[in-house]
Amino acid sequence: MSFRPLTDRYAVSPQISQEELSALRAAGFTTIIDNRPDGEIPPHLQTEEMRRAAEAEGFTFIANPVVGGAVTLENVERQREAIDQAGGPVLAYCASGNRSSVVWALANAGRMPTDELIGLPARHGYQLEGLRHEIDRLARERG
């Protein structure tokens, strides 16, 4: 199980499995956000199977499927709300962790400096520099 902490309360990961849930619980996570659309994965890893297993393990489970290259404002707001309502550290997963980093950065626009929103994911190889303009725009809109 390989997760990449962006902050002390938010980490990203490639696809997780039911077998990894107890290790995630032991690592202190309380909320899991699934950013992967069901059409990309086999049935045993799809949303409802993962929700059932995660909730049985005591996690709050949020489905927020993000289509690669097509993040919506609804995705951003749902991620922001899930992060805000989490009772502890959050793990968000997708295919590689990149989409979970993108939607996190956009969700936190205006809360953290843009350089941090780009730089923290970059430590793990996620290149978000191309989102700078969008992060700045969202930050201005949120005032």
Side-chain angles (χ1 to χ4, degrees), residues 5-111:
L6 302 186
T7 70
D8 60 348
R9 293 195 34 90
Y10 187 91
V12 299
S13 172
Q15 177 71 50
I16 62 170
S17 69
Q18 293 93 334
E19 294 77 26
E20 295 169 311
L21 292 170
S22 60
L24 292 170
R25 170 62 69 203
F29 293 103
T30 63
T31 299
I32 295 175
I33 303 174
D34 174 2
N35 290 136
R36 197 143 191 220
D38 281 346
E40 296 180 1
I41 48 181
H44 73 282
L45 296 175
Q46 290 183 358
T47 300
E48 288 314 309
E49 290 296 318
M50 292 302 297
R51 177 189 309 282
R52 211 172 355 270
E55 288 177 350
E57 191 73 35
F59 288 101
T60 299
F61 185 90
I62 308 293
N64 186 22
V66 176
V67 175
V71 177
T72 67
L73 188 55
E74 181 180 332
N75 289 138
V76 171
E77 293 306 319
R78 182 148 175 79
Q79 199 87 357
R80 184 176 170 106
E81 180 180 301
I83 293 166
D84 288 351
Q85 293 179 358
V90 174
L91 176 82
Y93 70 89
C94 56
S96 68
N98 188 65
R99 282 178 275 182
S100 297
S101 295
V102 167
V103 75
W104 167 83
L106 294 171
N108 282 288
R111 292 181 170 173

Side-chain angles (χ1 to χ4, degrees), residues 71-74 76-77 80 102-112 114 117 131-143:
V71 177
T72 67
L73 188 55
E74 181 180 332
V76 171
E77 293 306 319
R80 184 176 170 106
V102 167
V103 75
W104 167 83
L106 294 171
N108 282 288
R111 292 181 170 173
M112 296 172 65
T114 300
L117 294 172
L131 292 175
R132 183 175 291 277
H133 175 74
E134 185 67 13
I135 292 169
D136 288 342
R137 183 187 66 74
L138 283 171
R140 283 191 305 275
E141 286 179 6
R142 291 177 178 150

